[in-house]
Amino acid sequence: MEKTAPIVELSHVEVNFKKKAGLFKKADYVNALHDINLSIYPGEVVVLVGESGSGKTTMANVIAGIVQPTSGKVFFKGTQVPKMNQEQREEYRSRIQMVQQDSYASLNPMRRMIKTLGDPLVIKKYSDKKNVEEKVSHFLNTVELTPPENFLQKYPHQLSGGQRQRMLIARAISMNPELLLADEPVSMIDVSLRVSVLNLLAILNQRDNIAITYITHDLATARYVGQNGRIAVMYLGQIVETGNLQEVLSNPQHPYLRALLAAVPIPDPRVARQPRETNIKTMEEIEEGIPHGCRFHNRCPYCKEICKEKKPVMEKHGFSMAACHRIAELPPFSLYQASRKEDNHEG
Ligand SMILES: Nc1ncnc2c1ncn2[C@@H]1O[C@H](COP(=O)(O)OP(=O)(O)OP(=O)(O)O)[C@@H](O)[C@H]1O
Ligand code: SF4
Ligand SMILES: [Mg+2]
């Protein structure tokens, strides 16, 4: 894709939160994001993948301006966020919209859909009061809640999970966004409805050129949504590998991503019968706060002394940018999987 100026750019972003009781024992803060560099361009799909607590939602909140970085810079269309004037600030708030995981919590239970969707349109002067029903109907049609008149007077509890999620998407696109941040948008809805919501995101991307940042812990939906886009794999607040999604997932470099892929069930009975569990330690086994050196070192099967002492930096490896001292020494991924199989067999 030919690159124009990014919609949003994060440069060396750091976010520290005050510690939640019992999560990390030594540190009195959680370093939720560390040295994040990421640009999102018009019309592109970027998938953020990582397990729970890796910082995905914090990243989305920083991009949307909901969380201020502890240090580092965020730019919207080339202007640093704190230096924007009122007009730029309003544009920033409208052009970047979030679709959250929990549609029930995100919609006011006391408000009918015509109010939920209509009021922001009137407030933002995208519609006058007279035409608001027509405008709202247009957005309901766009998200395939049809016929719209069946939905205008409904309360959130009268909708299914999939319909509520579409309602959130309708509310987001009614603000004429250039970037939609979809944070686990299908994880709380019925499996049978997931694909249609993900397809809706793809339509908004391809037909309306809305950039999508899709956030998930699930590699299967990441692959589905990001087939023409980029992936950024997050681990404990850092991006550890990034690049074109198809290429990165076919040729993963970082041991964490390799372990995630080795653990993903594949719908082929011959492959599914092979042992595919990872030998990385679980997140709960990290009790001592954020590790020095490589943050993954106390879970990594390839850890050596250097990993405990020196932080790896992002470098080009194959089709990816990845942060690991030992990538050059690791076997190709197919051999890696075979050797993992032997390890499991022997163990
Ligand atoms: N407001 C907050 N106050 C304190 N700690 C927070 C806050 N928000 C997030 N954290 C911590 O920051 C880290 C990253 O959290 P975040 O919600 O961004 O992760 P995530 O990747 O979205 O996880 P999940 O997949 O569970 O949604 C976690 O350790 C979390 O407990
Ligand atoms: S730097 Fe070392 S510990 Fe970190 S992922 Fe690479 S091999 Fe594993
Ligand atoms: Mg989250």
Side-chain angles (χ1 to χ4, degrees):
M1 190 201 306
E2 197 184 312
K3 289 203 166 162
T4 49
I7 301 170
V8 70
E9 186 182 352
L10 275 55
S11 171
H12 301 291
V13 162
E14 210 74 36
V15 172
N16 295 335
F17 288 118
K18 279 230 162 104
K19 180 181 139 182
K20 280 183 183 168
L23 185 59
F24 290 98
K25 287 184 177 163
K26 283 188 180 163
D28 58 0
Y29 64 87
V30 179
N31 178 228
L33 291 182
H34 176 56
D35 201 16
I36 297 291
N37 295 295
L38 181 74
S39 296
I40 298 170
Y41 292 88
E44 74 165 345
V45 176
V46 177
V47 177
L48 296 182
V49 177
E51 62 199 318
S52 187
S54 57
K56 305 181 296 295
T57 298
T58 306
M59 179 102 97
N61 285 337
V62 169
I63 292 171
I66 298 165
V67 165
Q68 306 309 316
T70 311
S71 63
K73 292 175 182 168
V74 179
F75 298 87
F76 172 67
K77 296 192 174 175
T79 306
Q80 207 188 325
V81 168
K83 297 184 179 165
M84 291 191 305
N85 60 31
Q86 188 59 26
E87 198 183 331
Q88 289 170 314
R89 211 167 283 280
E90 272 171 28
E91 197 197 348
Y92 177 43
R93 281 202 207 103
S94 299
R95 299 294 98 84
I96 299 182
Q97 289 291 317
M98 233 169 157
V99 176
Q100 269 130 350
Q101 174 179 33
D102 186 351
S103 56
Y104 215 80
S106 307
L107 291 167
N108 185 333
M110 308 300 284
R111 304 186 93 196
R112 295 178 194 272
M113 289 307 135
I114 178 70
K115 294 282 288 171
T116 295
L117 290 179
D119 284 0
L121 288 172
V122 174
I123 291 166
K124 291 267 180 186
K125 299 196 171 61
Y126 293 155
S127 171
D128 51 32
K129 281 193 177 157
K130 204 163 58 152
N131 297 324
V132 75
E133 193 168 310
E134 194 187 324
K135 280 264 181 190
V136 169
S137 298
H138 162 77
F139 289 113
L140 292 177
N141 270 320
T142 307
V143 299
E144 293 159 9
L145 288 174
T146 52
E149 49 278 18
N150 286 2
F151 295 93
L152 289 170
Q153 300 305 328
K154 292 229 161 106
Y155 290 100
H157 74 269
Q158 294 173 308
L159 303 174
S160 71
Q163 288 171 338
R164 274 200 302 273
Q165 212 58 34
R166 283 168 190 276
M167 203 57 88
L168 285 188
I169 295 173
R171 187 173 63 181
I173 60 172
S174 73
M175 294 293 106
N176 193 19
E178 288 175 43
L179 169 60
L180 217 56
L181 298 164
D183 189 356
E184 306 261 14
V186 296
S187 61
M188 290 178 74
I189 63 177
D190 199 87
V191 175
S192 61
L193 301 170
R194 286 182 189 173
V195 168
S196 68
V197 172
L198 296 179
N199 285 344
L200 174 60
L201 293 178
I203 290 169
L204 295 173
N205 174 248
Q206 282 156 26
R207 187 193 60 200
D208 303 336
N209 203 37
I210 299 175
I212 306 282
T213 297
Y214 176 69
I215 294 173
T216 185
H217 60 272
D218 168 29
L219 277 170
T221 62
R223 217 185 267 275
Y224 190 74
V225 174
Q227 48 196 298
N228 299 315
R230 281 193 290 146
I231 187 171
V233 181
M234 295 193 64
Y235 182 77
L236 271 189
Q238 280 183 295
I239 295 174
V240 294
E241 182 160 353
T242 184
N244 172 282
L245 179 135
Q246 303 262 21
E247 284 160 354
V248 167
L249 294 188
S250 325
N251 195 9
Q253 303 291 319
H254 196 279
Y256 174 60
L257 179 57
R258 288 171 175 230
L260 285 183
L261 284 165
V264 169
I266 290 181
D268 174 339
R270 287 162 306 174
V271 182
R273 272 196 290 274
Q274 295 172 11
R276 297 180 66 78
E277 65 276 8
T278 93
N279 60 351
I280 61 173
K281 294 175 190 164
T282 63
M283 204 77 151
E284 288 72 47
E285 289 173 78
I286 302 175
E287 290 180 342
E288 311 231 321
I290 287 178
H292 289 290
C294 170
R295 291 189 172 200
F296 187 53
H297 85 244
N298 54 3
R299 295 174 77 192
C300 181
Y302 300 104
C303 175
K304 280 197 165 174
E305 274 317 299
I306 184 175
C307 309
K308 298 178 189 170
E309 287 154 17
K310 192 172 165 206
K311 185 186 131 181
V313 293
M314 291 291 264
E315 285 172 334
K316 186 106 182 101
H317 295 282
F319 294 107
S320 301
M321 293 294 289
C324 167
H325 293 302
R326 302 200 59 212
I327 288 177
E329 301 163 60
L330 301 180
F333 185 55
S334 51
L335 294 177
Y336 164 90
Q337 283 184 299
S339 74
R340 295 265 314 96
K341 191 178 145 196
E342 274 166 32
D343 289 350
N344 287 334
H345 188 67
E346 284 161 15

